Each structure stands twice: as C-alpha cells, then as structure tokens.
C-alpha cells in the first residue's frame, strides 16, 4: 500500500502512478515484469533483467504469485508487492553494481535478496538476514529452485539474526534494504553503511502510514535523509512478538 502527502498537484500525479502500479498484474512472470516496466515502475535495464531472472512463483507459493499485491508467506509476514520490490531496486540501483556489497534486512521469502545478488554480479556479495529460522530456511529453499549457484558461490548468504543490529561480519555495505517498518532508523544499520552508500527503510508506527526513508552517507561519513513516499509495512520487531 502506498500513499503520499505531497502538495496537491504532485499528489494527483503520484496517485495516478500508484493506481497504475496496482494494475501491474501479470498472466505469468514475464508479463508481470513487463507490466511493471510499461507502467514506469521499472526504469533501469539492470532492474528489469534481475526481476525477469527471478520468477516470483519460486518465492510466493499462492495462486496469486503474479498479482501486484502482498502475499502471505508464513510467520505473520508477507512477500511485498512486486511494485514495491521494483521501487526498492530502482532506489538502490546505483549501489547495486557489480562488486557491490548489500544487506537485506527482513529478507523473508528471499525474492528481493536474490534479485540484489544477481545485480551485484560474481564479484559482489549480498546477505539476507531474518530473525525467524523458518523464514531463513524458506528463503534458502526458494532460492535453490533456480539460483542455487548464488548460494554455493557465497555470492548470496542467508543468516538467522536480529536484523535491527545488522550483520557486522560482512560490513560495510554499499547499500542496505530494510523490508519492515522500524519505529526509528536503527543506528547499527547506519553505522554499517559504507561511505558513499545508501539505505532505504520504512520508518513509523505499526499499523499506520509510515515514511519510506532514503538515507545517504557521503564519502566523509555525513548522512542525509529523504522521505520518498508513504507506505504500510509489517513492523520490524523481535521474533517473540512476530510469531
């Protein structure tokens, strides 16, 4: 779900784009990705190629895998709508280049994590972290369907852990994606972001409109924040509150 609180004229324009995003349903995987591209959600060739390479039905085991809306994956969490995955990848595209290092917090089904691993190439590395072992096991199984080579080569690693604390063992990261809403930006994630890196994270209260925040760290370590849009995500919490 997306909203926006921009000025009236820009708000109407944004709403038109959002309605188009929600119409990005596909008859199959290629059709879904092509719909996202034709509606202007996917803009970059690398994002298009990555999303085309990762079939959503490997990660979303419902009859509506190619619908542009969230779907349940267990443990009281969902796989995000395809247009939100596309938005996230487009926002991070300049930081998901060959050789980049990335962290996906709340990796869930593993879909976005796998897309990121494809984008960073053979010299890059992506870590997906989730605090629910069943979800980590699910993401490994999902990825193994068609992209087991990413894990066997250590280009992609899934770990069980508290994503709010990041994953220092593989830091620093050129980009960090957070797939659940935090009350405030977790400082450990900001600390583990490399100079010149970018972090995106929904920030706000559970069950209400949240801000999709983009945080950039310049080459000297100074940070700037930017609100991209309003969203509604599941909360970034501990496993005892989630399960």
């Amino acid at each position: 779900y997306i909203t926006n609180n921009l000025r009236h004229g820009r708000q109407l324009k944004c709403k038109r784009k959002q309605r188009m995003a929600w119409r990005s349903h596909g008859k199959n995987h290629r059709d879904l990705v092509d719909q996202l591209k034709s509606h202007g959600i996917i803009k970059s060739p690398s994002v298009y190629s990555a999303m085309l390479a990762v079939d959503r039905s490997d990660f979303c085991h419902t009859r509506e895998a190619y619908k542009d809306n969230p779907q349940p994956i267990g443990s009281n969490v969902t796989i995000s709508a395809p247009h939100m995955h596309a938005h996230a990848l487009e926002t991070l595209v300049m930081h998901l280049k060959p050789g980049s290092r990335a962290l996906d917090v709340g990796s869930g089904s593993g879909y976005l994590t796998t897309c990121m691993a494809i984008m960073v190439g053979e010299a890059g590395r992506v870590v997906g972290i989730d605090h629910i072992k069943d979800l980590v096991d699910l993401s490994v199984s999902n990825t193994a369907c068609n992209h087991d080579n990413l894990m066997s080569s250590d280009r992609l690693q899934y770990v069980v852990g508290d994503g709010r604390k990041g994953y220092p063992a593989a830091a620093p990261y050129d980009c960090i994606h957070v797939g659940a809403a935090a009350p405030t930006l977790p400082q450990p994630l900001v600390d583990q972001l490399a100079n010149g890196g970018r972090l995106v994270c929904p920030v706000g209260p559970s069950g209400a409109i949240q801000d999709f925040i983009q945080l950039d760290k310049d080459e000297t370590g100074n940070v700037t924040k930017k609100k991209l849009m309003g969203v509604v995500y599941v909360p970034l919490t501990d496993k005892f509150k989630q399960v």
Side-chain angles (χ1 to χ4, degrees):
Y1 173 74
I2 306 177
T3 185
N4 203 292
N5 61 357
L6 299 176
R7 295 177 184 269
H8 182 66
R10 294 173 62 193
Q11 186 178 30
L12 290 177
K13 182 179 179 182
C14 186
K15 285 182 177 178
R16 283 195 295 268
K17 289 183 178 180
Q18 290 157 9
R19 286 197 296 270
M20 292 176 71
W22 283 105
R23 291 202 301 269
S24 298
H25 305 308
K27 298 176 183 177
N28 51 51
H29 181 65
R30 175 176 284 276
D31 187 40
L32 170 63
V33 177
D34 284 342
Q35 290 286 335
L36 291 167
K37 182 179 179 182
S38 67
H39 291 160
I41 308 301
I42 294 177
K43 303 178 180 69
S44 308
S46 60
V47 173
Y48 178 74
S49 295
M51 291 191 70
L52 199 59
V54 185
D55 195 314
R56 195 169 188 255
S57 67
D58 289 344
F59 299 81
C60 177
H61 309 294
T62 73
R63 293 182 178 180
E64 298 190 336
Y66 303 126
K67 296 290 187 181
D68 191 15
N69 47 39
Q71 297 290 326
I73 59 171
S75 301
N76 294 322
V77 299
T78 62
I79 179 174
S80 295
H83 75 267
M84 284 308 301
H85 281 153
H87 273 301
L89 292 173
E90 286 290 349
T91 303
L92 296 171
V93 65
M94 298 306 295
H95 305 270
L96 286 169
K97 295 181 177 181
S100 295
R101 300 172 73 88
L103 176 67
D104 186 19
V105 175
S107 47
S109 71
Y111 178 84
L112 189 71
T113 326
T114 303
C115 289
M116 295 168 77
I118 288 174
M119 292 176 70
V120 301
E122 294 181 2
R125 186 182 182 193
V126 176
V127 176
I129 185 168
D130 207 292
H131 55 207
I132 305 297
K133 185 179 184 301
D134 286 349
L135 287 179
V136 173
D137 292 342
L138 175 67
S139 62
V140 170
S141 175
N142 291 342
T143 304
C145 289
N146 284 294
H147 298 284
D148 187 59
N149 63 304
L150 297 177
M151 297 184 292
S152 63
S153 65
D154 290 330
R155 182 165 150 188
L156 170 57
Q157 177 187 11
Y158 293 108
V159 298
V160 178
D162 188 342
R164 297 171 297 184
K165 300 178 181 178
Y167 189 66
Y173 301 99
D174 298 297
C175 68
I176 298 175
H177 169 266
V178 183
T184 59
L185 274 174
Q187 189 58 43
L189 299 182
V190 179
D191 294 340
Q192 291 171 40
L193 187 66
N195 287 355
R198 173 170 292 177
L199 180 157
V200 291
C201 176
V203 176
S206 174
I209 303 281
Q210 302 133 359
D211 293 319
F212 197 59
I213 299 294
Q214 172 185 307
L215 180 145
D216 292 304
K217 183 182 286 189
D218 67 20
E219 296 296 342
T220 63
N222 294 317
V223 300
T224 56
K225 300 176 187 177
K226 178 181 179 182
K227 296 180 182 179
L228 299 180
M229 66 183 82
V231 293
V232 176
Y233 273 73
V234 298
L236 184 66
T237 183
D238 62 64
K239 62 181 178 180
F240 302 107
K241 292 182 180 178
Q242 182 171 322
V243 177

